[in-house]
Amino acid sequence: MKLVTAIIKPFKLDDVREALADIGVSGITVIEVKGFGRQKGHTELYRGAEYVVDFLPKIKVEIAVDDSLVEQVIEAVTNAARTGKIGDGKIFVFDVGQVIRIRTGETGPDAL
Amino acid sequence: MKLVTAIIKPFKLDDVREALADIGVSGITVIEVKGFGRQKGHTELYRGAEYVVDFLPKIKVEIAVDDSLVEQVIEAVTNAARTGKIGDGKIFVFDVGQVIRIRTGETGPDAL
Amino acid sequence: MKLVTAIIKPFKLDDVREALADIGVSGITVIEVKGFGRQKGHTELYRGAEYVVDFLPKIKVEIAVDDSLVEQVIEAVTNAARTGKIGDGKIFVFDVGQVIRIRTGETGPDAL
Amino acid sequence: MEEPITHLAYALDTFYFLISGALVMWMAAGFAMLEAGLVRAKNTAEILTKNVALFSIACIMYMLIGYGIMYPTGGNGVIPSINWSFMFGGDHEVAAVLSSEGATYYSGMADFFFQVVFVATAMSIVSGAVAERMKLWAFLAFAVIMTGFIYPVQGYWKWGGGWLDSIGFNDFAGSGIVHLCGASAALAGVLLLGARKGKYGKDGSINAIPGSNLPLATLGTFILWLGWFGFNGGSELKISDIGEANAVAAVFVNTNMAAAGGLVLALATARMLFGKADLTMALNGALAGLVAITAEPLTPSPIAASLIGGLGGVLVVFAIITIDKLRVDDPVGAISVHGVVGMWGLIAVPLTNSDATFLAQFIGLFSILAWVFATSLLVWFLIKLAMGLRVSEEEEYEGVDIGECGLEAYPEFVGSGK
Amino acid sequence: MEEPITHLAYALDTFYFLISGALVMWMAAGFAMLEAGLVRAKNTAEILTKNVALFSIACIMYMLIGYGIMYPTGGNGVIPSINWSFMFGGDHEVAAVLSSEGATYYSGMADFFFQVVFVATAMSIVSGAVAERMKLWAFLAFAVIMTGFIYPVQGYWKWGGGWLDSIGFNDFAGSGIVHLCGASAALAGVLLLGARKGKYGKDGSINAIPGSNLPLATLGTFILWLGWFGFNGGSELKISDIGEANAVAAVFVNTNMAAAGGLVLALATARMLFGKADLTMALNGALAGLVAITAEPLTPSPIAASLIGGLGGVLVVFAIITIDKLRVDDPVGAISVHGVVGMWGLIAVPLTNSDATFLAQFIGLFSILAWVFATSLLVWFLIKLAMGLRVSEEEEYEGVDIGECGLEAYPEFVGSGK
Amino acid sequence: MEEPITHLAYALDTFYFLISGALVMWMAAGFAMLEAGLVRAKNTAEILTKNVALFSIACIMYMLIGYGIMYPTGGNGVIPSINWSFMFGGDHEVAAVLSSEGATYYSGMADFFFQVVFVATAMSIVSGAVAERMKLWAFLAFAVIMTGFIYPVQGYWKWGGGWLDSIGFNDFAGSGIVHLCGASAALAGVLLLGARKGKYGKDGSINAIPGSNLPLATLGTFILWLGWFGFNGGSELKISDIGEANAVAAVFVNTNMAAAGGLVLALATARMLFGKADLTMALNGALAGLVAITAEPLTPSPIAASLIGGLGGVLVVFAIITIDKLRVDDPVGAISVHGVVGMWGLIAVPLTNSDATFLAQFIGLFSILAWVFATSLLVWFLIKLAMGLRVSEEEEYEGVDIGECGLEAYPEFVGSGK
Ligand SMILES: Nc1ncnc2c1ncn2[C@@H]1O[C@H](COP(=O)(O)OP(=O)(O)O)[C@@H](O)[C@H]1O
Ligand SMILES: Nc1ncnc2c1ncn2[C@@H]1O[C@H](COP(=O)(O)OP(=O)(O)O)[C@@H](O)[C@H]1O
Ligand SMILES: Nc1ncnc2c1ncn2[C@@H]1O[C@H](COP(=O)(O)OP(=O)(O)O)[C@@H](O)[C@H]1O
């Protein structure tokens, strides 16, 4: 099993969620994060003093899926989250050793 | 070493923390997340317009432990976080390549 | 490729970011978390009732880097985040299976 | 007096009443902010809804029936006979005022306006104590009975010229009739309702549940402090001659000094007991000072007023701790501030006012407490039978905002409230 | 009247005017808080900036030219001739007052002060409706024209003694001249501006965009409620004899009852329609009650006032839903509260005031609506040509605070606003 | 004058004083909200605690000793002799008033009430400048001396009839005696205290530390604006005849116009300098306009008042930038708003008031500055020796709320404040 995590622009969340639903992903977990990357923040003036907003708000989406679905998920997220402008974000994929559904104790793919 | 991460219902956090303390876990990291899964959000009306609350507040707990403790940790979390109702959450287990304690530079199990 | 995640004290974030920039890391993702560990929270009295602040605010920094840079990153973070006092935090390193840049679809090291 | 003078004096006294009333109306905002600041974020929209709705209900019920009960056309001193006429309007005729020899000296409408905001104040006290767990509609049902019936009856006993007035009970602006009254109703409600989940541990521990927004709570306290100048200042009922103007001014000064005294001593007490300057205790201290002086803000000297208020401030800290130890869960400290310190205010009257007696004060205190507590307990109980008082456990965890109001007070801010 | 009496009466009426004006000025804070509470966090600093700036612009423009247009030295009832003198100061001479036989009975400066805060109120109504997407400087440019020209002209028609006054149109404190006026300008702006991104889905869905801070919105409502005592109470224009004092008192009572009625019935209506006690509807209901009674707060009995306000409260809920269905995006409900209910207020006058006729009321209603809507549409259109009305899509997503003000309202609180 | 007239006039003037005082008291809430909005979330509860406590301390110290120093029974014009009697109460006898031929025309208690809220205002200015790093109890210790001694002495020099009054120094409502006084004490404190950690980089950079809650700051500004009508309006000291009523009305109008002018020009200046509509500068601009007009709100025409205030608004933007460049760290801009612009207000008096001279204004300005700065520096220094002024570095990082108050202002909202 894999955990696909994607850092995306916040206003793309709904599109990504819908794209994932369309390919049958039944659960995701979402986290508010701040990102620092090629997309630069802005320098603002607050009361005449400089104010660098380095960190931009981003959303991190975590999707645990069966290995067989990974490519589809990546594609869905990429398409839904892409604006073509700098700062669209990244996808990282990790191996998951074990999955357990707390409610039932099920493990493995059944737990998703 | 492993990282056990659990997505749980927010009000179960104290129980989970206590259960982990009981089996000797000395540190955890906690993150506020929003979850989307089988447990459906509610459709509300705000000023007469529909308002779908898809994402439910959840807590993600991350526990780095020695391999030998993983099963115990999973059991503790599962028991403490279970309500039996839908939305109780999931546990994901990951391999950790390296651990370092910043303060001392210790690595490996000693760093936990 | 690896994902280096560091739990640090919030006020060290700027130092860590600068240290990483110095060694050429071009992107990071930052998350507000609460930590529980050896560094104990304080017991406060609010309106005469005890109020245990178990969880301390921490920042989690995630840095995806090429394997070759991992040691350098760890060193940079360790040096920048260290105060020598308890609660300085931990670094965990994970394997990353795949990396994709959403904007371009690039994968692997190029996507960073 | 000459006719033009009578006209002017009537106008001035009416204006003074209206401004005082507007200041007291503003206290409704103060209670709303104070309570919104002291509950958790997930219960904030609901407490706001309760506050705006109770104020409105109080106005309507008091117009329909409460005012007629409190200032009846007749009655035997205990049971009033109701006067239904107010809602249809009308005021003093010019000729009647001119021929009244000063007996009728301000507008009847202004009188109602000033009185109605007092009822709302009494009811506002209740909402804080039962916050974070009581059903919205159950609360509003109680508000109907409280403002239309329970409050007016005891109001009649004193201010309507009933039996408490006859025995020489003194309560200038309502330490008893408003504040103790509200607190007694609150206590009855809390006893039937029980504590918030998580407030008291199985092991006997008492947990703190910190208020979510202390700037709001502070703003609320300042609003109440300001409004209190109308509350006490207007209760002199007349300002249009030198003596009365001096009296109103003395009331303003003493009201302010009592609040200041209460705040400083509560802050110091909290500092001594807990080692920290607990802001919420300081705020409760200011309110305690205000409640304490309300029964008699005219006769004390400024320094005496500071002390009466200051003692209120000390008292309120201990009261809050004690009531909490008794496992009576009052999220905002309303029972301590308005009840315990309201009693202190009543008892302190004879210290500076030689017309008052401790006996009459105690009789008044107990009769208000008994009447309001007993009737409230009954009404709460009936509401409990009819519709239940308490939201479900799940709703309490999730926050009553979603369940009762269908919205969140701060939808973008709070992630997962614990 | 004797000289000293005239002095005192003049002083009292002037003081009453000044206090009323101060209360209306306070409404500017109410609008600011209400709107700040009902927009999203990322647009909060900008709406605050608009509110403080529009108030200031209104004061300056009305001093320079608006007051002179509204109360001109001459004019034919439709087109006023401007009087430029106010800005240089000056007030009634003592001798002139004494010899005026009561015709001149309060300070001209106080009159200006009271009037100027009304202009600001009208303009405040606009800012809420166009919130979250209109450019700051475009909005302020409109404020200049609206407060210096559009508002004063129709104000002249009625309060300046123009043609609407002659035909017997009744509008005590401005359900039409202030509230409908503001709403008409807002409607014109919204039509040219379009809805917020994401408010209406391609599939015809209507999405909710919840306000970010309901305690602020509630505070704003309480502030407006308090300020309205000045708004309506001061519009009686005189308090210094028994009859006038009674009238002012009746206005206070009715204003309060109408707000209470509006709140309770809006809450109940929302409960019935949606199953939940929507706090934002309750707040709009209170404001609707206030707007409804503003055209005639004197003649109704208290119970009639509650009903007039209460109907306003019911109406506003349906108006908000309907306007939303028409895809006219008004984040705070200003067009419903001030426009739709403003009309109801005007139409309700003849129900309790036998001097008013439905015909005159309708003529007034339509002429205000037509004048303000048409001129506003033109002005908005010219501004759109000159500098554009709407921020870029990107700026709208990011929030206008960063783009327009260079800062965030809550920099530490909100992570990633959607 | 006839007896009934004297009664009524006394009542009206007393009422006017009390209402003015209540409005000024409300300014305490304004400072609290403004400062709470401009500091970081982690230091909010502490600044609130300072604000409520300093107000209370000011009331108590001024009652005990300050009022007696400022309005002494004797004194040589420089050193007053203290009058201890106030705290024991008492007011003008009716007979004394009637026989005073108008010399005694309002309640002594009302006078105290109006005066005491001014002291608190001066002290409120200090809390903002030293925010986010000064120890709570050190600050409160200073408040005791400032309000009981430093402020009253210079107050005596002018308003108590001392030497500044004799040389013809003009300061209507206190641009100098209140605002410059507060700012001078603040400056002395800031110099001894140093800047907040992270405000100035080692490399010479100046960092912005954004305020955490701009709606609160905006609310605070509106509250101050409203309160200022009492501050300046009440300082006319009499309203009960035609001339005085006109004067009070002119003061209201000019106060309002100056604030509006200050806001608009500060906003425009910030827009020109920074390219963005910096809301915090606009708010400071309004306050600067108010401070500027305070020394003479009566003689200017409305347009002149707008300009005097407007120049204050421009000035404050440059002052804030300059003071920041000098590495004097003032989180809320108090030294600029109240100090720099306070001086401008004093200097502007002779422009419209022919009774004033630049010489006397400068003498007044420098003597207030010198006295308050020197004594404050000494007192701050002694407090520093005795208990230290500054919290530990660790406490500053963590936020002073936890360390000083043991609680958080927004416990549920902010994750890890940086
Ligand atoms: N090396 C990295 N490690 C972790 N997160 C990264 C890394 N690089 C980028 N990110 C995250 O991805 C976001 C977008 O990256 P950025 O370089 O700005 O643009 P792009 O994705 O178009 O290359 C950043 O804001 C950050 O949150
Ligand atoms: N495939 C998934 N990937 C990531 N997180 C998931 C996934 N499925 C569920 N979750 C998380 O677990 C939470 C609970 O899941 P849900 O399906 O609602 O109930 P249950 O755990 O009882 O099956 C979700 O709110 C979400 O945060
Ligand atoms: N086993 C663990 N798993 C996950 N996070 C941990 C673990 N131990 C510690 N942490 C995180 O690291 C932080 C610092 O750890 P702590 O034990 O307090 O001090 P130190 O890092 O000096 O040993 C904690 O607040 C917590 O966020």
Side-chain angles (χ1 to χ4, degrees), chain D residues 1-2 4-6 8-9 12 15-17 19-20 23 26 39-42 210-216 218-219 221-223 225-226 229 239-243 245-250 252-254 256-257 259-261 263-264 267-268 271 275-280 282-283 301-304 306 410 413-415 417-418, chain F residues 2 4-8 10-12 14-15 18-19 22-23 25-26 28-29 32-33 36 44-46 48-49 51-53 55-57 59-60 63-64 86-94 97-98 106-110 112-113 116-117 136-137 140 213 216 219 223 401-413:
Chain D
M1 235 187 286
E2 283 174 83
I5 301 273
T6 307
L8 264 180
L12 179 58
F15 185 48
Y16 146 79
F17 247 74
I19 296 299
S20 297
L23 285 171
W26 185 224
V39 301
R40 282 164 292 175
K42 65 183 177 183
S212 56
N213 195 329
L214 296 194
L216 278 191
T218 306
L219 176 65
T221 304
F222 270 122
I223 292 175
W225 193 322
L226 174 63
F229 294 121
I239 196 173
S240 63
D241 66 37
I242 296 172
N246 284 346
V248 175
F252 267 65
V253 168
N254 286 340
N256 192 52
M257 292 316 308
L263 191 140
V264 167
L267 191 64
R271 175 73 178 72
K276 295 288 166 86
D278 186 325
L279 170 61
T280 68
L283 300 178
S301 65
I303 183 106
S306 314
Y410 309 99
F413 293 85
V414 188
K418 281 215 294 181
Chain F
E2 283 173 83
I5 300 276
T6 307
H7 271 283
L8 264 182
Y10 183 99
L12 178 58
T14 297
F15 185 49
L18 292 172
I19 295 299
L23 284 172
M25 176 266 151
W26 185 224
M33 293 302 114
T44 301
E46 200 247 13
L48 292 168
T49 308
N51 270 277
V52 295
F55 183 83
S56 302
I57 287 173
C59 291
I60 290 171
M63 171 193 71
L64 290 178
F86 175 77
M87 71 180 98
F88 305 113
D91 210 324
H92 308 305
E93 296 292 327
V94 175
V97 173
L98 291 175
Y106 63 91
S107 150
M109 281 283 171
F112 171 80
F113 182 67
V116 72
V117 285
L136 176 65
W137 298 99
L140 296 183
N213 195 329
L216 277 192
L219 177 66
I223 293 175
D401 285 3
I402 298 285
E404 297 279 31
C405 302
L407 42 73
E408 294 171 63
Y410 309 99
E412 298 178 47
F413 294 85

Side-chain angles (χ1 to χ4, degrees), chain A residues 7 33-40 56 58 85-90 92, chain C residues 3 25-30 62-65 101-103 111-112:
Chain A
I7 316 282
V33 302
K34 301 261 180 184
F36 177 81
R38 275 175 191 72
Q39 182 193 13
K40 286 297 162 245
L56 297 167
K58 301 277 173 192
K85 295 215 198 96
I86 204 162
D88 275 353
K90 319 272 180 196
F92 303 117
Chain C
L3 186 80
V25 168
S26 62
I28 61 177
T29 299
V30 160
E62 300 187 337
I63 315 125
V65 284
R101 187 197 304 278
I102 291 173
R103 171 164 47 100
L112 288 182

Side-chain angles (χ1 to χ4, degrees), chain A residues 7-8 31 33-38 54-55 60 71 74 78 81-82 84-86 88-94, chain C residues 3 13-14 17 26-31 62 64 94-105 111-112:
Chain A
I7 316 282
I8 62 170
I31 307 169
V33 302
K34 301 261 180 184
F36 177 81
R38 275 175 191 72
D54 280 327
F55 288 101
K60 181 170 165 187
E71 285 314 311
I74 290 175
T78 313
R82 182 184 291 143
K85 295 215 198 96
I86 204 162
D88 275 353
K90 319 272 180 196
I91 299 177
F92 303 117
V93 182
F94 300 90
Chain C
L3 186 80
L13 176 59
D14 281 337
R17 199 203 56 217
S26 62
I28 61 177
T29 299
V30 160
I31 308 169
E62 300 187 337
F94 301 90
D95 273 327
V96 183
Q98 238 181 306
V99 184
I100 299 102
R101 187 197 304 278
I102 291 173
R103 171 164 47 100
T104 58
L112 288 182

Side-chain angles (χ1 to χ4, degrees), chain A residues 3 25-29 62-65 101-103 111-112, chain B residues 7 33-39 56 58 85-90 92:
Chain A
L3 187 79
V25 168
S26 62
I28 61 177
T29 299
E62 300 187 336
I63 315 127
V65 283
R101 186 196 306 277
I102 292 174
R103 172 163 47 101
L112 288 184
Chain B
I7 318 281
V33 302
K34 300 261 179 183
F36 176 81
R38 275 178 189 70
Q39 181 191 12
L56 298 167
K58 301 278 172 188
K85 296 216 197 95
I86 204 160
D88 275 354
K90 320 271 178 195
F92 304 117

